[in-house]
Amino acid sequence: SAVISQKPSRDICQRGTSLTIQCQVDSQVTMMFWYRQQPGQSLTLIATANQGSEATYESGFVIDKFPISRPNLTFSTLTVSNMSPEDSSIYLCSVVLGTDTQYFGPGTRLTVL
Amino acid sequence: DAKTTQPTSMDCAEGRAANLPCNHSTISGNEYVYWYRQIHSQGPQYIIHGLKNNETNEMASLIITEDRKSSTLILPHATLRDTAVYYCIVRVDGLTGGGNKLTFGTGTQLKVEL
């Protein structure tokens, strides 16, 4: 496995603002993913972020709302833009290592007031 | 990816084996069975995966039926720290297709009690 860290671990934000979440891995990985987990719900994939290409978004998620950067093989950011209370969730990044297995970061707990 | 069905919740006494079932009757020949767990408010933790043979690692054993339509995750000696939501996920090997995506269902809430 790998050591995956996320910053911030939690935040409380005001409606209409934006928050950028960072995901750092201690080894180089090609595939990274961003997920959202709304309160009491399961995880939903937001997008796939591969280094050297544009992020691929799942149905229901758009780049204007969730812009993603992937500047190198160990780092990615997800921005939650123009936030509303409905964006209150845990946001998680994951990476693919070894024989095709995904490993997850600890998550960022976001509360929007 | 094939759909999975899991019980909503299960209880287990500490020290006993926890057997978590998963039904995946529409699984295809190139789809793997993956198990993850999520301890409250933490990121999901990979447990084990398999294609058709039974698998065992330091965390658990995975038993897949011969027709591959169902599987069971076994935690041999459950402890209080094993209390978590357990997710059974079926997906195509990313090396051959499917893009490594994981589709999470609602999982099984396992509660380990004294």
Side-chain angles (χ1 to χ4, degrees), chain B residues 45-93:
Chain B
Q45 178 186 24
Y46 165 76
I47 301 173
I48 198 168
H49 74 282
L51 182 62
K52 54 184 177 181
N53 297 322
N54 298 337
E55 302 288 345
T56 296
N57 63 20
E58 64 278 4
M59 289 183 66
S61 295
L62 173 61
I63 307 298
I64 303 174
T65 58
E66 191 169 345
D67 63 7
R68 303 210 320 122
K69 292 184 177 182
S70 65
S71 60
T72 300
L73 179 74
I74 301 173
L75 308 178
H77 306 286
T79 70
L80 298 178
R81 288 179 294 180
D82 292 320
T83 293
V85 178
Y86 287 77
Y87 296 100
C88 170
I89 301 168
V90 171
R91 52 152 284 221
V92 176
D93 178 3

CSV table of all heavy atoms in Angstrom, one decimal, chain B residues 45-93:
chain,number,residue,atom,x,y,z
B,45,GLN,N,-10.9,1.0,3.6
B,45,GLN,CA,-9.7,0.2,3.7
B,45,GLN,C,-9.9,-1.1,2.8
B,45,GLN,O,-10.9,-1.8,3.0
B,45,GLN,CB,-9.5,-0.2,5.2
B,45,GLN,CG,-8.3,-1.1,5.4
B,45,GLN,CD,-8.2,-1.5,6.8
B,45,GLN,OE1,-9.2,-1.6,7.6
B,45,GLN,NE2,-7.0,-1.9,7.3
B,46,TYR,N,-8.9,-1.3,2.0
B,46,TYR,CA,-8.9,-2.5,1.1
B,46,TYR,C,-8.7,-3.7,2.0
B,46,TYR,O,-7.9,-3.7,3.0
B,46,TYR,CB,-7.8,-2.5,0.1
B,46,TYR,CG,-7.5,-3.8,-0.6
B,46,TYR,CD1,-8.3,-4.3,-1.5
B,46,TYR,CD2,-6.4,-4.5,-0.2
B,46,TYR,CE1,-8.1,-5.5,-2.1
B,46,TYR,CE2,-6.1,-5.7,-0.8
B,46,TYR,CZ,-6.9,-6.2,-1.7
B,46,TYR,OH,-6.7,-7.5,-2.3
B,47,ILE,N,-9.5,-4.8,1.8
B,47,ILE,CA,-9.4,-6.0,2.6
B,47,ILE,C,-8.8,-7.1,1.7
B,47,ILE,O,-7.7,-7.7,2.0
B,47,ILE,CB,-10.7,-6.5,3.2
B,47,ILE,CG1,-11.3,-5.4,4.1
B,47,ILE,CG2,-10.5,-7.8,4.0
B,47,ILE,CD1,-12.7,-5.7,4.5
B,48,ILE,N,-9.5,-7.5,0.7
B,48,ILE,CA,-9.1,-8.7,-0.1
B,48,ILE,C,-9.8,-8.7,-1.4
B,48,ILE,O,-10.9,-8.0,-1.6
B,48,ILE,CB,-9.4,-9.9,0.7
B,48,ILE,CG1,-8.6,-11.2,0.2
B,48,ILE,CG2,-10.9,-10.2,0.7
B,48,ILE,CD1,-8.7,-12.3,1.2
B,49,HIS,N,-9.3,-9.4,-2.4
B,49,HIS,CA,-10.1,-9.6,-3.6
B,49,HIS,C,-9.8,-10.9,-4.3
B,49,HIS,O,-8.7,-11.5,-3.9
B,49,HIS,CB,-9.9,-8.4,-4.6
B,49,HIS,CG,-8.6,-8.4,-5.4
B,49,HIS,ND1,-7.4,-8.0,-4.8
B,49,HIS,CD2,-8.2,-8.8,-6.6
B,49,HIS,CE1,-6.4,-8.1,-5.6
B,49,HIS,NE2,-6.9,-8.6,-6.8
B,50,GLY,N,-10.6,-11.4,-5.2
B,50,GLY,CA,-10.4,-12.6,-5.8
B,50,GLY,C,-11.3,-12.8,-7.1
B,50,GLY,O,-12.2,-12.0,-7.3
B,51,LEU,N,-10.9,-13.7,-7.9
B,51,LEU,CA,-11.6,-13.9,-9.2
B,51,LEU,C,-12.4,-15.2,-9.1
B,51,LEU,O,-13.7,-15.1,-9.3
B,51,LEU,CB,-10.6,-14.1,-10.3
B,51,LEU,CG,-11.2,-14.3,-11.7
B,51,LEU,CD1,-12.0,-13.1,-12.1
B,51,LEU,CD2,-10.1,-14.6,-12.8
B,52,LYS,N,-11.8,-16.3,-8.8
B,52,LYS,CA,-12.6,-17.6,-8.6
B,52,LYS,C,-12.1,-18.5,-7.6
B,52,LYS,O,-12.8,-19.3,-7.0
B,52,LYS,CB,-12.7,-18.3,-10.0
B,52,LYS,CG,-11.4,-18.6,-10.6
B,52,LYS,CD,-11.7,-19.2,-12.0
B,52,LYS,CE,-10.4,-19.5,-12.7
B,52,LYS,NZ,-10.6,-20.1,-14.1
B,53,ASN,N,-10.8,-18.4,-7.2
B,53,ASN,CA,-10.3,-19.2,-6.2
B,53,ASN,C,-10.4,-18.5,-4.8
B,53,ASN,O,-10.5,-17.3,-4.7
B,53,ASN,CB,-8.8,-19.4,-6.4
B,53,ASN,CG,-8.5,-20.2,-7.7
B,53,ASN,OD1,-9.3,-21.1,-8.0
B,53,ASN,ND2,-7.5,-19.8,-8.4
B,54,ASN,N,-10.5,-19.3,-3.8
B,54,ASN,CA,-10.5,-18.7,-2.4
B,54,ASN,C,-9.2,-18.0,-2.1
B,54,ASN,O,-8.2,-18.5,-2.6
B,54,ASN,CB,-10.8,-19.8,-1.4
B,54,ASN,CG,-12.2,-20.5,-1.7
B,54,ASN,OD1,-13.1,-19.9,-2.3
B,54,ASN,ND2,-12.3,-21.7,-1.2
B,55,GLU,N,-9.3,-17.0,-1.4
B,55,GLU,CA,-8.1,-16.2,-1.1
B,55,GLU,C,-8.1,-15.9,0.4
B,55,GLU,O,-9.1,-15.8,1.1
B,55,GLU,CB,-8.2,-14.8,-1.8
B,55,GLU,CG,-8.3,-14.9,-3.3
B,55,GLU,CD,-7.0,-15.3,-4.0
B,55,GLU,OE1,-5.9,-15.3,-3.3
B,55,GLU,OE2,-7.0,-15.7,-5.2
B,56,THR,N,-6.8,-15.8,0.9
B,56,THR,CA,-6.6,-15.5,2.3
B,56,THR,C,-5.4,-14.6,2.5
B,56,THR,O,-4.5,-14.7,1.7
B,56,THR,CB,-6.3,-16.8,3.1
B,56,THR,OG1,-7.5,-17.7,3.1
B,56,THR,CG2,-6.0,-16.5,4.6
B,57,ASN,N,-5.6,-13.6,3.3
B,57,ASN,CA,-4.5,-12.8,3.7
B,57,ASN,C,-4.5,-12.5,5.2
B,57,ASN,O,-5.3,-13.2,5.9
B,57,ASN,CB,-4.5,-11.5,2.9
B,57,ASN,CG,-5.7,-10.6,3.2
B,57,ASN,OD1,-6.4,-10.7,4.2
B,57,ASN,ND2,-6.0,-9.7,2.3
B,58,GLU,N,-3.7,-11.6,5.7
B,58,GLU,CA,-3.6,-11.4,7.1
B,58,GLU,C,-4.9,-10.9,7.8
B,58,GLU,O,-5.0,-10.9,9.0
B,58,GLU,CB,-2.4,-10.5,7.5
B,58,GLU,CG,-2.5,-9.1,6.9
B,58,GLU,CD,-2.2,-9.0,5.5
B,58,GLU,OE1,-1.9,-10.0,4.8
B,58,GLU,OE2,-2.1,-7.8,5.0
B,59,MET,N,-5.7,-10.3,7.0
B,59,MET,CA,-6.9,-9.7,7.5
B,59,MET,C,-8.1,-10.6,7.4
B,59,MET,O,-9.0,-10.6,8.4
B,59,MET,CB,-7.3,-8.4,6.7
B,59,MET,CG,-6.4,-7.3,6.9
B,59,MET,SD,-6.9,-5.8,6.0
B,59,MET,CE,-8.5,-5.4,6.9
B,60,ALA,N,-8.3,-11.4,6.3
B,60,ALA,CA,-9.5,-12.1,6.1
B,60,ALA,C,-9.3,-13.2,5.1
B,60,ALA,O,-8.3,-13.4,4.5
B,60,ALA,CB,-10.6,-11.1,5.6
B,61,SER,N,-10.4,-14.0,5.0
B,61,SER,CA,-10.5,-15.0,3.9
B,61,SER,C,-11.7,-14.7,3.0
B,61,SER,O,-12.7,-14.2,3.5
B,61,SER,CB,-10.6,-16.4,4.5
B,61,SER,OG,-9.5,-16.8,5.2
B,62,LEU,N,-11.5,-15.0,1.8
B,62,LEU,CA,-12.6,-14.8,0.8
B,62,LEU,C,-13.0,-16.1,0.2
B,62,LEU,O,-12.1,-16.7,-0.4
B,62,LEU,CB,-12.2,-13.8,-0.3
B,62,LEU,CG,-13.2,-13.6,-1.5
B,62,LEU,CD1,-14.5,-13.0,-1.0
B,62,LEU,CD2,-12.6,-12.6,-2.5
B,63,ILE,N,-14.2,-16.5,0.3
B,63,ILE,CA,-14.7,-17.8,-0.2
B,63,ILE,C,-15.7,-17.4,-1.3
B,63,ILE,O,-16.7,-16.7,-1.1
B,63,ILE,CB,-15.4,-18.6,0.8
B,63,ILE,CG1,-14.5,-18.8,2.1
B,63,ILE,CG2,-15.8,-20.0,0.2
B,63,ILE,CD1,-13.2,-19.5,1.8
B,64,ILE,N,-15.4,-17.9,-2.6
B,64,ILE,CA,-16.2,-17.6,-3.7
B,64,ILE,C,-16.8,-18.9,-4.2
B,64,ILE,O,-16.1,-19.9,-4.3
B,64,ILE,CB,-15.4,-17.0,-4.9
B,64,ILE,CG1,-14.7,-15.7,-4.4
B,64,ILE,CG2,-16.3,-16.7,-6.1
B,64,ILE,CD1,-13.8,-15.1,-5.4
B,65,THR,N,-18.1,-19.0,-4.3
B,65,THR,CA,-18.8,-20.2,-4.7
B,65,THR,C,-18.3,-20.6,-6.1
B,65,THR,O,-17.8,-19.8,-6.9
B,65,THR,CB,-20.3,-20.1,-4.7
B,65,THR,OG1,-20.6,-19.0,-5.6
B,65,THR,CG2,-20.8,-19.8,-3.3
B,66,GLU,N,-18.5,-21.9,-6.4
B,66,GLU,CA,-18.0,-22.4,-7.7
B,66,GLU,C,-18.6,-21.7,-8.9
B,66,GLU,O,-18.0,-21.5,-9.9
B,66,GLU,CB,-18.2,-23.9,-7.8
B,66,GLU,CG,-17.5,-24.6,-8.9
B,66,GLU,CD,-17.6,-26.1,-8.8
B,66,GLU,OE1,-17.9,-26.6,-7.7
B,66,GLU,OE2,-17.3,-26.8,-9.8
B,67,ASP,N,-19.9,-21.4,-8.8
B,67,ASP,CA,-20.6,-20.7,-9.9
B,67,ASP,C,-20.3,-19.2,-9.9
B,67,ASP,O,-20.8,-18.5,-10.7
B,67,ASP,CB,-22.1,-21.0,-9.9
B,67,ASP,CG,-22.8,-20.5,-8.6
B,67,ASP,OD1,-22.1,-19.8,-7.8
B,67,ASP,OD2,-24.0,-20.7,-8.5
B,68,ARG,N,-19.6,-18.7,-8.9
B,68,ARG,CA,-19.2,-17.3,-8.7
B,68,ARG,C,-20.3,-16.4,-8.5
B,68,ARG,O,-20.2,-15.2,-8.5
B,68,ARG,CB,-18.3,-16.9,-9.9
B,68,ARG,CG,-17.1,-17.7,-10.1
B,68,ARG,CD,-15.9,-16.9,-10.7
B,68,ARG,NE,-16.3,-16.0,-11.7
B,68,ARG,CZ,-16.0,-14.7,-11.7
B,68,ARG,NH1,-15.4,-14.2,-10.6
B,68,ARG,NH2,-16.4,-13.9,-12.7
B,69,LYS,N,-21.5,-16.9,-8.2
B,69,LYS,CA,-22.7,-16.0,-8.0
B,69,LYS,C,-22.8,-15.4,-6.6
B,69,LYS,O,-23.6,-14.6,-6.3
B,69,LYS,CB,-23.9,-16.8,-8.4
B,69,LYS,CG,-24.0,-17.1,-9.8
B,69,LYS,CD,-25.3,-17.7,-10.2
B,69,LYS,CE,-25.4,-18.0,-11.7
B,69,LYS,NZ,-26.7,-18.6,-12.1
B,70,SER,N,-22.0,-15.9,-5.7
B,70,SER,CA,-21.9,-15.4,-4.3
B,70,SER,C,-20.6,-15.6,-3.7
B,70,SER,O,-19.8,-16.4,-4.2
B,70,SER,CB,-23.0,-16.0,-3.5
B,70,SER,OG,-22.8,-17.3,-3.2
B,71,SER,N,-20.3,-14.8,-2.6
B,71,SER,CA,-19.1,-15.0,-1.9
B,71,SER,C,-19.3,-14.6,-0.5
B,71,SER,O,-20.3,-14.1,-0.1
B,71,SER,CB,-18.0,-14.0,-2.5
B,71,SER,OG,-18.4,-12.7,-2.4
B,72,THR,N,-18.3,-15.0,0.4
B,72,THR,CA,-18.4,-14.8,1.8
B,72,THR,C,-17.0,-14.2,2.3
B,72,THR,O,-16.0,-14.8,1.9
B,72,THR,CB,-18.7,-16.0,2.6
B,72,THR,OG1,-20.0,-16.5,2.2
B,72,THR,CG2,-18.8,-15.7,4.1
B,73,LEU,N,-17.1,-13.1,3.0
B,73,LEU,CA,-15.9,-12.6,3.6
B,73,LEU,C,-15.8,-13.1,5.0
B,73,LEU,O,-16.8,-13.0,5.7
B,73,LEU,CB,-15.9,-11.1,3.6
B,73,LEU,CG,-14.6,-10.5,4.3
B,73,LEU,CD1,-13.4,-10.6,3.4
B,73,LEU,CD2,-14.9,-9.0,4.6
B,74,ILE,N,-14.7,-13.7,5.4
B,74,ILE,CA,-14.6,-14.3,6.8
B,74,ILE,C,-13.6,-13.6,7.6
B,74,ILE,O,-12.4,-13.5,7.1
B,74,ILE,CB,-14.3,-15.8,6.7
B,74,ILE,CG1,-15.4,-16.5,6.0
B,74,ILE,CG2,-14.2,-16.3,8.1
B,74,ILE,CD1,-15.1,-18.0,5.7
B,75,LEU,N,-14.0,-13.0,8.7
B,75,LEU,CA,-13.0,-12.4,9.6
B,75,LEU,C,-12.9,-13.5,10.7
B,75,LEU,O,-13.8,-13.7,11.5
B,75,LEU,CB,-13.5,-11.1,10.2
B,75,LEU,CG,-13.9,-10.0,9.2
B,75,LEU,CD1,-14.4,-8.8,10.0
B,75,LEU,CD2,-12.8,-9.7,8.3
B,76,PRO,N,-11.8,-14.2,10.8
B,76,PRO,CA,-11.7,-15.4,11.7
B,76,PRO,C,-11.9,-15.2,13.1
B,76,PRO,O,-12.5,-16.0,13.8
B,76,PRO,CB,-10.3,-16.0,11.4
B,76,PRO,CG,-9.6,-14.9,10.8
B,76,PRO,CD,-10.5,-14.0,10.1
B,77,HIS,N,-11.4,-14.1,13.7
B,77,HIS,CA,-11.6,-13.8,15.1
B,77,HIS,C,-11.9,-12.3,15.2
B,77,HIS,O,-11.0,-11.5,15.4
B,77,HIS,CB,-10.3,-14.1,15.9
B,77,HIS,CG,-9.8,-15.5,15.7
B,77,HIS,ND1,-10.5,-16.6,16.2
B,77,HIS,CD2,-8.8,-16.0,14.9
B,77,HIS,CE1,-9.8,-17.7,15.9
B,77,HIS,NE2,-8.8,-17.4,15.1
B,78,ALA,N,-13.2,-12.0,15.1
B,78,ALA,CA,-13.6,-10.6,15.1
B,78,ALA,C,-13.3,-9.9,16.4
B,78,ALA,O,-13.4,-10.5,17.5
B,78,ALA,CB,-15.1,-10.5,14.8
B,79,THR,N,-12.8,-8.6,16.3
B,79,THR,CA,-12.6,-7.8,17.5
B,79,THR,C,-13.5,-6.6,17.4
B,79,THR,O,-14.1,-6.3,16.4
B,79,THR,CB,-11.1,-7.4,17.6
B,79,THR,OG1,-10.8,-6.4,16.6
B,79,THR,CG2,-10.2,-8.6,17.5
B,80,LEU,N,-13.5,-5.8,18.5
B,80,LEU,CA,-14.3,-4.6,18.5
B,80,LEU,C,-13.9,-3.6,17.4
B,80,LEU,O,-14.7,-2.9,16.8
B,80,LEU,CB,-14.3,-3.9,19.9
B,80,LEU,CG,-14.8,-4.7,21.1
B,80,LEU,CD1,-14.6,-3.9,22.3
B,80,LEU,CD2,-16.2,-5.1,20.9
B,81,ARG,N,-12.6,-3.7,17.1
B,81,ARG,CA,-12.1,-2.8,16.0
B,81,ARG,C,-12.5,-3.1,14.6
B,81,ARG,O,-12.3,-2.4,13.7
B,81,ARG,CB,-10.6,-2.7,16.1
B,81,ARG,CG,-10.0,-2.0,17.3
B,81,ARG,CD,-8.5,-2.0,17.4
B,81,ARG,NE,-8.0,-3.3,17.6
B,81,ARG,CZ,-6.7,-3.6,17.6
B,81,ARG,NH1,-5.8,-2.6,17.5
B,81,ARG,NH2,-6.3,-4.8,17.8
B,82,ASP,N,-13.1,-4.3,14.5
B,82,ASP,CA,-13.7,-4.7,13.2
B,82,ASP,C,-15.0,-4.2,12.9
B,82,ASP,O,-15.6,-4.4,11.9
B,82,ASP,CB,-13.7,-6.2,13.1
B,82,ASP,CG,-12.3,-6.8,13.0
B,82,ASP,OD1,-11.4,-6.3,12.4
B,82,ASP,OD2,-12.1,-7.9,13.7
B,83,THR,N,-15.6,-3.5,13.9
B,83,THR,CA,-16.9,-2.8,13.7
B,83,THR,C,-16.8,-1.8,12.6
B,83,THR,O,-16.0,-0.9,12.7
B,83,THR,CB,-17.4,-2.2,15.0
B,83,THR,OG1,-17.7,-3.2,15.9
B,83,THR,CG2,-18.7,-1.3,14.7
B,84,ALA,N,-17.5,-2.0,11.5
B,84,ALA,CA,-17.4,-1.1,10.3
B,84,ALA,C,-18.5,-1.4,9.3
B,84,ALA,O,-19.2,-2.4,9.5
B,84,ALA,CB,-16.0,-1.3,9.7
B,85,VAL,N,-18.5,-0.6,8.2
B,85,VAL,CA,-19.4,-1.0,7.1
B,85,VAL,C,-18.5,-1.7,6.1
B,85,VAL,O,-17.4,-1.2,5.7
B,85,VAL,CB,-20.0,0.2,6.4
B,85,VAL,CG1,-20.8,-0.2,5.2
B,85,VAL,CG2,-20.9,1.0,7.4
B,86,TYR,N,-18.9,-2.9,5.7
B,86,TYR,CA,-18.2,-3.8,4.8
B,86,TYR,C,-18.9,-3.7,3.4
B,86,TYR,O,-20.0,-4.0,3.2
B,86,TYR,CB,-18.1,-5.2,5.3
B,86,TYR,CG,-17.2,-5.3,6.5
B,86,TYR,CD1,-17.6,-4.9,7.7
B,86,TYR,CD2,-15.9,-5.8,6.3
B,86,TYR,CE1,-16.7,-4.9,8.8
B,86,TYR,CE2,-15.0,-5.9,7.4
B,86,TYR,CZ,-15.4,-5.5,8.6
B,86,TYR,OH,-14.6,-5.5,9.7
B,87,TYR,N,-18.1,-3.4,2.4
B,87,TYR,CA,-18.6,-3.3,1.0
B,87,TYR,C,-18.0,-4.4,0.1
B,87,TYR,O,-16.8,-4.6,0.1
B,87,TYR,CB,-18.1,-1.9,0.4
B,87,TYR,CG,-18.6,-0.7,1.1
B,87,TYR,CD1,-17.9,0.0,2.0
B,87,TYR,CD2,-19.9,-0.2,0.8
B,87,TYR,CE1,-18.3,1.2,2.6
B,87,TYR,CE2,-20.4,0.9,1.4
B,87,TYR,CZ,-19.6,1.6,2.3
B,87,TYR,OH,-20.1,2.7,2.8
B,88,CYS,N,-18.9,-5.0,-0.5
B,88,CYS,CA,-18.6,-6.0,-1.6
B,88,CYS,C,-18.8,-5.4,-2.9
B,88,CYS,O,-19.8,-4.8,-3.2
B,88,CYS,CB,-19.5,-7.3,-1.4
B,88,CYS,SG,-19.5,-8.5,-2.7
B,89,ILE,N,-17.7,-5.4,-3.7
B,89,ILE,CA,-17.8,-4.7,-5.0
B,89,ILE,C,-17.3,-5.6,-6.1
B,89,ILE,O,-16.3,-6.3,-5.9
B,89,ILE,CB,-16.9,-3.4,-5.0
B,89,ILE,CG1,-17.3,-2.5,-3.9
B,89,ILE,CG2,-16.9,-2.7,-6.3
B,89,ILE,CD1,-16.3,-1.4,-3.6
B,90,VAL,N,-18.0,-5.7,-7.2
B,90,VAL,CA,-17.6,-6.5,-8.3
B,90,VAL,C,-17.2,-5.5,-9.5
B,90,VAL,O,-17.9,-4.6,-9.8
B,90,VAL,CB,-18.8,-7.4,-8.8
B,90,VAL,CG1,-18.5,-8.0,-10.1
B,90,VAL,CG2,-19.1,-8.4,-7.7
B,91,ARG,N,-16.1,-5.8,-10.0
B,91,ARG,CA,-15.6,-4.9,-11.1
B,91,ARG,C,-14.6,-5.7,-12.0
B,91,ARG,O,-14.0,-6.6,-11.7
B,91,ARG,CB,-15.0,-3.7,-10.6
B,91,ARG,CG,-13.9,-3.9,-9.5
B,91,ARG,CD,-12.9,-2.8,-9.5
B,91,ARG,NE,-12.0,-2.9,-10.7
B,91,ARG,CZ,-10.7,-2.7,-10.6
B,91,ARG,NH1,-10.1,-2.3,-9.5
B,91,ARG,NH2,-9.9,-2.8,-11.7
B,92,VAL,N,-14.6,-5.1,-13.2
B,92,VAL,CA,-13.7,-5.7,-14.2
B,92,VAL,C,-12.2,-5.3,-13.8
B,92,VAL,O,-12.0,-4.2,-13.3
B,92,VAL,CB,-14.0,-5.1,-15.6
B,92,VAL,CG1,-13.0,-5.6,-16.7
B,92,VAL,CG2,-15.4,-5.5,-16.0
B,93,ASP,N,-11.3,-6.2,-14.1
B,93,ASP,CA,-9.9,-5.9,-13.9
B,93,ASP,C,-9.5,-4.7,-14.7
B,93,ASP,O,-9.7,-4.6,-15.9
B,93,ASP,CB,-9.1,-7.1,-14.3
B,93,ASP,CG,-7.6,-6.9,-14.2
B,93,ASP,OD1,-7.2,-5.8,-13.7
B,93,ASP,OD2,-6.8,-7.8,-14.5
